[in-house]
Amino acid sequence: MRMPRRGLVIQARTRWLLVGLALLFSLILLMYLLECAPQTDGNGSLPGVVGESMGKEYYQALLQEQEEHYQNRATSLKRQIAQLKQELQEMSDRLKSLQEKKTPKVNGMNYQGTKEQTSNDLLEFLHSQIDKAEVSVGAKLPSEYGVIPFESFTSMKVFQLEMGLTRHPEEKPVRKDKRDELVEVIEAGLEVINNPDEEDGQDEDDGVGDRQLYSENDFVEGYYRTERDKGTQYELFYKKMDGMEYRHVTLFRPFGPLMKVKSETVDISRSIINIIVPLAGRTEAFAQFMQNFRDVCIHQDKRVHLTVVYFGQDGLSEVKSILESVARETDFHNYTLVSLNEEFNRGRGLDMGARAWEKGEVLMFFCDVDVYFTAEFLNSCRLNAEPGKKVFYPVVFSLYNPAIVYANQDIPPPVEQQLVHKKDSGFWRDFGFGMTCQYRTDFLTVGGFDLEVKGWGGEDVHLYRKYLHGDLMVVRTPVPGLFHLWHEKHCADELTPEQYRMCIQSKAMNEASHSHLGMLVFRDEIEAHLRKQAYRTNSEAVG
């Protein structure tokens, strides 16, 4: 399968051609609108639309809008051209440097030959990626689960299958790289249509003036999917508004070979983690948390410090007693209890816990009393956070209400047996940013939490956005050793409308899976069916 000569590799001359076509189209549009401008009496109408009177102001506004559009487009193309020139120059310099190291230059012949061979090898590799992908010919698959589905898109929206809990089935791309990718693909398809190769089936004798040119407004829809070891396939469809024929373009973005970026040794043997837990009441949950802390941190990891920030006086003595009991039984004294006689505020609690540390730099794990973690997670925390470079935001697996998940059992199993990753037992909390590993200096540098946020929720998102707006890399990934245990949620009346909505949404999502909630909704119907079946069975037995 041959790749289009000009369609896939957008070079500098292609960008300038697009600018020229845009300017030409703008000039034609201007002449057309001036020719069709209505008389001064204002009784003219837009061609093809009966009864809609338009004055000169309409056309002037339309011209201004078109002019601004093409000026912005030209500016964007110039910027992309400059970036491409710089990248090409850098790649050329690196290639030249490598070839000079490997091959002695004799009258320029050896280097030139090697350069041409490298280019041919690269082109051959890219074609081989297309040949291996399921682009032109279907592949034999073992089952229905082997199909890689497409996601569809228009010029404005993407319709996606893998939603998670925060993505929507239909959305306008927020990430700039996704928007730029789809815009580039649409433009590449236009380049293929408007500048066809011989293999595209159009006569070379047809001049540009005789051939109908397509624009971005003629793009109808597209589909794309990614085979992760080969590349991304795009199926694009274009159609003129007044026509019935569609132009179909297939593009493929092949992936290149693996390249080493970095290889290093990381020593975490002396890395202490300061686990900070804000708390108010909930002494039973704290006792359960300390049991997990004892097993994982004291007996296994042994490189942790615990900071508990307690709000209020009610339950404070019980918390002190639990900490002293654990310290006495395990000879563990690396803990700090900070008491605040004020209303609970998670952000303030974590902020106070971070500032209570007086031994310089330390890796902090912001944790809740309902979180269960393993020793493997603590090592992941150490490996994925780096001072001045990276912060770690793991995605927690949140467990559903055990009373619903294990409704067919007399009592739910022990907590340790509930820690399984199944869709009926829990979900990845991809909308939560409360559990995080980051170094103290990074936390203080970005300004910590927004202490104006009161009550439940919101403070973690503010901190997360601060890192997103900064220079540090944010590592966001689900981890198998971090669980959020179910507990009943209470949404206070004092919350703001936005906080209350978030609280109710979280409460609904934490209760049970779709299938289990469905069984609860149709419980009466199911019981009625069972009664009918029992009655029918008894009647047949008597008869």
Side-chain angles (χ1 to χ4, degrees):
M1 176 178 178
R2 293 179 56 196
M3 296 173 59
R5 293 193 300 271
R6 295 182 295 269
L8 297 180
V9 183
I10 302 180
Q11 302 173 344
R13 62 183 182 83
T14 304
R15 297 294 186 184
W16 284 114
L17 179 59
L18 284 176
V19 174
L21 289 174
L23 294 176
L24 178 61
F25 179 81
S26 179
L27 180 59
I28 295 174
L29 178 63
L30 176 61
M31 295 175 62
Y32 171 78
L33 292 176
L34 291 176
E35 183 68 19
C36 298
Q39 302 299 322
T40 56
D41 58 5
N43 293 329
S45 60
L46 188 66
V49 181
V50 180
E52 293 187 7
S53 296
M54 298 294 179
K56 283 188 176 181
E57 292 80 3
Y58 170 79
Y59 295 106
Q60 291 174 351
L62 181 62
L63 284 172
Q64 184 177 0
E65 180 181 351
Q66 291 292 334
E67 183 178 1
E68 292 177 355
H69 171 75
Y70 288 114
Q71 284 179 350
N72 294 335
R73 186 74 191 127
T75 302
S76 175
L77 290 173
K78 289 179 181 178
R79 185 173 60 253
Q80 294 180 38
I81 290 169
Q83 293 175 350
L84 286 172
K85 284 183 177 179
Q86 182 179 358
E87 292 176 4
L88 286 172
Q89 184 61 44
E90 291 176 354
M91 293 177 62
S92 177
D93 293 342
R94 286 199 298 268
L95 180 61
K96 183 176 180 180
S97 176
L98 289 173
Q99 296 302 331
E100 287 178 348
K101 290 179 180 179
K102 294 181 179 180
T103 306
K105 189 172 182 181
V106 181
N107 296 328
M109 296 302 295
N110 287 350
Y111 171 70
Q112 184 66 26
T114 306
K115 182 178 180 180
E116 293 178 357
Q117 182 62 39
T118 302
S119 177
N120 292 335
D121 291 344
L122 177 59
L123 189 59
E124 183 179 351
F125 168 77
L126 296 178
H127 281 294
S128 69
Q129 290 291 86
I130 299 177
D131 293 338
K132 290 187 294 184
E134 190 181 359
V135 178
S136 301
V137 181
K140 295 182 179 179
L141 302 175
S143 69
E144 64 274 19
Y145 301 106
V147 175
I148 301 177
F150 284 89
E151 292 188 345
S152 62
F153 66 97
T154 65
S155 58
M156 295 297 296
K157 293 183 179 180
V158 175
F159 304 89
Q160 51 200 13
L161 285 175
E162 298 181 5
M163 294 183 298
L165 284 171
T166 56
R167 300 175 66 191
H168 300 285
E170 171 191 293
E171 70 176 12
K172 186 175 182 178
V174 176
R175 287 178 56 101
K176 182 179 182 300
D177 56 349
K178 174 57 69 176
R179 295 198 307 270
D180 292 348
E181 174 196 354
L182 297 181
V183 169
E184 179 191 6
V185 167
I186 294 173
E187 292 176 351
L190 290 172
E191 172 68 14
V192 172
I193 294 175
N194 293 331
N195 299 277
D197 290 332
E198 295 179 5
E199 61 199 38
D200 292 332
Q202 295 194 25
D203 296 334
E204 290 291 339
D205 295 337
D206 292 342
V208 175
D210 299 327
R211 189 172 62 247
Q212 198 173 33
L213 295 178
Y214 285 75
S215 69
E216 295 177 359
N217 295 330
D218 298 320
F219 174 72
V220 178
E221 65 180 359
Y223 307 96
Y224 70 92
R225 67 176 180 180
T226 299
E227 295 182 67
R228 301 196 176 190
D229 60 336
K230 300 177 183 68
T232 303
Q233 172 186 355
Y234 302 91
E235 302 290 340
L236 310 174
F237 296 88
Y238 301 81
K239 173 182 172 294
K240 288 292 183 182
M241 185 178 298
D242 55 351
M244 291 300 295
E245 292 185 350
Y246 286 80
R247 294 301 307 272
H248 175 210
V249 178
T250 298
L251 302 177
F252 193 81
R253 190 193 303 274
F255 293 157
L258 295 173
M259 298 180 65
K260 184 185 75 174
V261 175
K262 181 173 62 174
S263 176
E264 61 181 355
T265 300
V266 181
D267 184 7
I268 61 173
S269 60
R270 298 182 181 181
S271 179
I272 302 296
I273 299 179
N274 183 17
I275 302 177
I276 305 176
V277 181
L279 187 62
R282 309 206 52 212
T283 54
E284 292 184 3
F286 182 69
Q288 185 180 47
F289 172 86
M290 287 306 298
Q291 181 61 46
N292 174 225
F293 183 88
R294 180 203 301 250
D295 295 340
V296 173
C297 300
I298 300 177
H299 293 159
Q300 298 181 51
D301 191 86
K302 303 177 182 179
R303 292 164 292 165
V304 297
H305 184 96
L306 176 63
T307 300
V308 179
V309 182
Y310 195 85
F311 290 82
Q313 297 298 317
D314 187 19
L316 178 59
S317 59
E318 288 88 342
V319 170
K320 287 183 178 179
S321 176
I322 293 171
L323 287 171
E324 292 171 356
S325 175
V326 172
R328 185 172 54 254
E329 295 171 3
T330 62
D331 196 28
F332 176 82
H333 302 284
N334 294 331
Y335 71 88
T336 302
L337 176 61
V338 179
S339 177
L340 300 177
N341 191 18
E342 55 189 74
E343 184 181 356
F344 178 79
N345 183 312
R346 185 178 185 273
R348 173 161 168 73
L350 294 172
D351 189 85
M352 290 294 295
R355 299 179 188 278
W357 179 269
E358 299 178 347
K359 301 177 183 179
E361 182 67 290
V362 68
L363 175 59
M364 304 182 301
F365 171 37
F366 294 159
C367 186
D368 286 346
V369 71
D370 300 298
V371 167
Y372 185 102
F373 53 86
T374 65
E376 289 74 20
F377 165 74
L378 294 179
N379 286 333
S380 297
C381 181
R382 295 181 175 101
L383 292 171
N384 289 288
E386 188 174 352
K389 294 185 178 180
K390 294 190 296 184
V391 292
F392 186 38
Y393 273 85
V395 180
V396 183
F397 192 78
S398 190
L399 297 178
Y400 291 131
N401 187 346
I404 298 178
V405 176
Y406 305 99
N408 59 341
Q409 302 181 22
D410 294 335
I411 57 173
V415 172
E416 291 76 13
Q417 297 181 20
Q418 298 180 27
L419 306 178
V420 292
H421 300 92
K422 295 182 178 179
K423 69 175 183 177
D424 281 337
S425 63
F427 64 96
W428 290 111
R429 189 188 286 260
D430 58 349
F431 56 86
F433 308 97
M435 306 318 121
T436 171
C437 298
Q438 53 194 260
Y439 277 85
R440 186 174 183 269
T441 53
D442 295 330
F443 174 76
L444 297 177
T445 299
V446 299
F449 287 102
D450 182 358
L451 300 182
E452 297 299 321
V453 178
K454 304 296 183 182
W456 186 94
E459 80 290 331
D460 51 355
V461 180
H462 283 83
L463 179 63
Y464 184 67
R465 287 172 179 167
K466 286 183 180 180
Y467 283 118
L468 294 180
H469 297 159
D471 297 328
L472 271 66
M473 180 185 299
V474 177
V475 180
R476 179 79 168 151
T477 181
V479 291
L482 194 61
F483 295 86
H484 185 276
L485 305 181
W486 180 89
H487 65 90
E488 188 172 359
K489 287 184 176 293
H490 299 281
C491 299
D493 294 335
E494 295 78 16
L495 297 176
T496 66
E498 177 63 17
Q499 286 179 319
Y500 193 83
R501 183 194 65 80
M502 291 170 59
C503 185
I504 290 295
Q505 183 182 40
S506 178
K507 183 175 181 178
M509 291 181 174
N510 276 269
E511 199 65 23
S513 66
H514 192 162
S515 59
H516 278 143
L517 289 177
M519 295 297 288
L520 291 176
V521 170
F522 298 108
R523 179 171 52 190
D524 294 341
E525 186 174 333
I526 295 172
E527 291 177 353
H529 173 76
L530 293 176
R531 286 194 298 269
K532 290 180 181 179
Q533 289 290 331
Y535 176 78
R536 188 174 304 158
T537 302
N538 293 334
S539 299
E540 292 176 355
V542 172

